[in-house]
Amino acid sequence: MSVNTLLGLLSSALLCTAQVITSDPLIKDPGVYGPPLELVHLYYDEFPTGIAVSSTGRMFSNYPGGLDKNDTNNGSNGKYTIAELVSNTTETPYPSAEINNPPGGAINYTTYPPSAANYQNYFIGSQSIVIDPADRAWVLDTGRVQSPNGTLVPASYGGPKLVGINLNNNTIFKTIVFPTTVAYSDSYLNDVRFDLRANLSGTSGQGVAYITDSSSEGRNGLIVADLGTGNSWRHLDGSPTVHPVQQWLAYLWGMPLYGTNVGRPFSYLAFGSDGIALSADGETLYWKAVSSRYLYSIPTVRLRDNSATSELMAQGAINNHGETGITDGMETDTNGFIYHGNMEQNGISFFNPANGSDTIFVRDPRINWVDTMSTTTNGYLYFTVNQLTFGPATYPGTDRRKRPFALFRVPLANNATRPLLI
Ligand SMILES: *[C@@H]1O[C@H](CO)[C@@H](O)[C@H](O)[C@H]1NC(C)=O
Ligand SMILES: *[C@@H]1O[C@H](CO)[C@@H](O)[C@H](O)[C@H]1NC(C)=O
Ligand SMILES: *[C@@H]1O[C@H](CO)[C@@H](O)[C@H](O)[C@H]1NC(C)=O
Ligand SMILES: *[C@@H]1O[C@H](CO)[C@@H](O)[C@H](O)[C@H]1NC(C)=O
Ligand SMILES: *[C@@H]1O[C@H](CO)[C@@H](O)[C@H](O)[C@H]1NC(C)=O
Ligand SMILES: *[C@@H]1O[C@H](CO)[C@@H](O)[C@H](O)[C@H]1NC(C)=O
Ligand SMILES: *[C@@H]1O[C@H](CO)[C@@H](O)[C@H](O)[C@H]1NC(C)=O
Ligand SMILES: *[C@@H]1O[C@H](CO)[C@@H](O)[C@H](O)[C@H]1NC(C)=O
Ligand SMILES: *[C@@H]1O[C@H](CO)[C@@H](O)[C@H](O)[C@H]1NC(C)=O
């Protein structure tokens, strides 16, 4: 018998006894990582984005008519844009039903085309509620909502504003209305962070707010408001660091995120600067555009400066920390970590300024769109998971969201807490 014949016989014998194979020995994506998620609240009513948690554990959310036409108050449908979470599954308009119900609704149909109502004393469409280091709540009213066909109507002076609420007696103590040179009619004021230290350079001593303009219509930037004088100004208009990346595409749960436009073809989503976080010492501001994977920062002194050459100085002081995934909300803890959603990983990551790198913090299959975050004085990171990208604003344009939406929390790394800049 030749060697070749012997080999042939051997290989047929092997084929006959071939083993059934299974995928059991293969490694696979575990899908979960980090501390287990604790479920805090289920939203069955309106579509939420933000979460704010006070030092006593009171919780507040916002419901933006600018992202969901079903959140738009029409004068008689009882929709609210700010609410307190009063049980595990229910919410009540905050600080009152009245302020959430602008007379005649949030849209002014006497203009052509329709525009957002101009009330300074009512909420129009809020994109954030945030607790400041003095435990006061601030509502960021973007002053814009969607009309019944899903068109985002332009803002009117009086709509875009920052409203401070005393949590002890639930009364408004300050309203800062943004001029039309700071909040444009096509701006979308998105998120806000506070530094209340009295010795901040270039300010009145009563603290400042830093705000992102995430407009998908093009004029993105960062806004600074002096909480004492009520003066506000913009920086970084025109910088690519606040703009969406061109032809940007993300995938969530395997689905491509193309954008829909009322009466026009599908296109790319183009959300600009949105997530924002102050470093634990307040000296650096971090931000990301939603339609981008880059993380940027700037020394806050460059933003507070509004002198003649301050814009040149600001644009020259931006740091690029590289790509860190797809993010909406961001937050900070006393480790100095900058937490941010990492939606394509069904998770949350943090950027550590001490080593310049980004690290996964939690992953869970229940995580889809991580919207806004809140770190707390008792050591938790709260975050909403709201299926934003399963709504009608993304391809194929049908509403694939399923109630309820969720609020989770996880303990901060290394037993950290929320840094208080006061
Ligand atoms: C509209 O909002 C109500 C709650 O306010 C909810 O029950 C309903 O499912 C929503 N419809 C859509 C299409 O989101
Ligand atoms: C407001 O919305 C409610 C509920 O969808 C509807 O019944 C009502 O006709 C609307 N009113 C106006 C003025 O559009
Ligand atoms: C729901 O509410 C109850 C009573 O307020 C509380 O004890 C419980 O921990 C809450 N959370 C969940 C997930 O049930
Ligand atoms: C609606 O627009 C008209 C025309 O600009 C203006 O006079 C009126 O004050 C507006 N009303 C509201 C509630 O925005
Ligand atoms: C609410 O409380 C603050 C102090 O906490 C006080 O300054 C303010 O006057 C109170 N407002 C009302 C309407 O009682
Ligand atoms: C500013 O005040 C804070 C306390 O609010 C303090 O920690 C910091 O050192 C002060 N900075 C300067 C430059 O004085
Ligand atoms: C949608 O509604 C807006 C008013 O908000 C109107 O100007 C526009 O013509 C409508 N578009 C379509 C495609 O129906
Ligand atoms: C950076 O620091 C974080 C927090 O200590 C750590 O988890 C991560 O592994 C570090 N990254 C690198 C690349 O060393
Ligand atoms: C966090 O605190 C707990 C007790 O409260 C302690 O057992 C644990 O070692 C601490 N972890 C870290 C990383 O400091």
Side-chain angles (χ1 to χ4, degrees):
M1 197 184 286
S2 73
V3 170
N4 275 349
T5 317
L6 185 59
L7 281 177
L9 281 174
L10 271 174
S11 57
S12 351
L14 281 174
L15 277 176
C16 290
T17 60
Q19 282 192 321
V20 174
I21 59 166
T22 77
S23 58
D24 290 352
L26 299 179
I27 63 165
K28 64 180 175 192
D29 183 342
V32 292
Y33 180 83
L37 311 190
E38 297 176 36
L39 184 63
V40 178
H41 186 87
L42 293 175
Y43 300 88
Y44 284 93
D45 194 21
E46 291 187 45
F47 166 82
T49 60
I51 177 66
V53 185
S54 80
S55 69
T56 61
R58 289 173 71 185
M59 297 181 285
F60 307 89
S61 281
N62 70 287
Y63 310 82
L67 286 181
D68 185 341
K69 62 188 180 189
N70 196 26
D71 285 358
T72 299
N73 184 293
N74 77 357
S76 64
N77 58 7
K79 298 290 178 171
Y80 45 88
T81 190
I82 296 290
E84 180 164 8
L85 281 48
V86 289
S87 81
N88 291 339
T89 54
T90 58
E91 299 124 52
T92 193
Y94 187 81
S96 67
E98 191 205 356
I99 194 172
N100 279 278
N101 277 286
I107 298 181
N108 187 348
Y109 285 101
T110 72
T111 65
Y112 183 83
S115 54
N118 59 12
Y119 298 113
Q120 300 190 13
N121 300 325
Y122 292 89
F123 296 154
I124 306 300
S126 168
Q127 191 56 39
S128 265
I129 175 165
V130 172
I131 308 293
D132 76 10
D135 217 29
R136 305 174 298 183
W138 291 89
V139 171
L140 183 63
D141 192 345
T142 197
R144 300 183 72 186
V145 292
Q146 290 183 8
S147 70
N149 73 12
T151 298
L152 184 59
V153 302
S156 304
Y157 176 77
K161 55 190 173 286
L162 190 58
V163 179
I165 305 170
N166 189 309
L167 290 178
N168 298 325
N169 49 24
N170 306 314
T171 55
I172 292 171
F173 66 88
K174 184 110 188 172
T175 299
I176 296 174
V177 177
F178 297 104
T180 54
T181 49
V182 173
Y184 309 129
S185 60
D186 60 358
S187 281
Y188 200 83
L189 307 187
N190 197 302
D191 209 349
V192 56
R193 291 294 176 272
F194 296 90
D195 187 340
L196 300 186
R197 290 177 299 162
N199 56 12
L200 289 176
S201 62
T203 71
S204 65
Q206 294 182 52
V208 294
Y210 303 100
I211 297 165
T212 46
D213 181 346
S214 69
S215 173
S216 33
E217 288 137 306
R219 290 196 276 177
N220 305 108
L222 300 182
I223 294 168
V224 184
D226 184 316
L227 301 180
T229 61
N231 292 338
S232 57
W233 55 95
R234 291 180 73 99
H235 275 308
L236 308 189
D237 277 31
S239 167
T241 64
V242 292
H243 282 169
V245 165
Q246 295 299 297
Q247 295 180 299
W248 175 85
L249 181 65
Y251 280 83
L252 202 74
W253 284 13
M255 287 176 275
L257 298 188
Y258 292 107
T260 56
N261 300 295
V262 178
R264 285 190 284 135
F266 296 119
S267 187
Y268 297 94
L269 285 179
F271 296 117
S273 46
D274 181 320
I276 188 171
L278 278 165
S279 61
D281 66 3
E283 301 301 323
T284 307
L285 187 79
Y286 293 85
W287 75 91
K288 294 189 70 173
V290 166
S291 301
S292 164
R293 290 183 179 78
Y294 286 93
L295 173 67
Y296 296 100
S297 75
I298 191 170
T300 52
V301 64
R302 295 273 62 90
L303 295 175
R304 292 191 301 272
D305 185 0
N306 195 29
S307 65
T309 60
S310 60
E311 179 58 25
L312 312 179
M313 299 280 280
Q315 295 207 18
I318 297 169
N319 296 298
N320 180 345
H321 302 286
E323 296 198 0
T324 59
I326 306 294
T327 294
D328 192 322
M330 296 166 63
E331 259 289 33
T332 315
D333 73 3
T334 50
N335 292 308
F337 295 167
I338 306 297
Y339 295 88
H340 61 88
N342 192 347
M343 274 74 107
E344 288 179 307
Q345 302 301 324
N346 301 342
I348 293 174
S349 296
F350 64 83
F351 175 77
N352 183 3
N355 66 14
S357 82
D358 204 59
T359 305
I360 201 81
F361 178 55
V362 290
R363 294 184 68 207
D364 191 287
R366 289 170 292 177
I367 293 179
N368 44 72
W369 191 264
V370 179
D371 206 290
T372 306
M373 302 176 165
S374 179
T375 51
T376 60
T377 47
N378 67 343
Y380 285 95
L381 176 72
Y382 285 71
F383 58 95
T384 53
V385 171
N386 67 5
Q387 307 172 42
L388 182 137
T389 55
F390 303 155
T394 60
Y395 175 84
T398 52
D399 194 353
R400 293 146 289 147
R401 295 171 300 177
K402 287 183 79 168
R403 281 174 170 74
F405 310 111
L407 172 64
F408 293 106
R409 71 175 190 182
V410 285
L412 293 165
N414 310 322
N415 294 342
T417 61
R418 177 189 181 194
L420 294 175
L421 297 165
I422 191 165

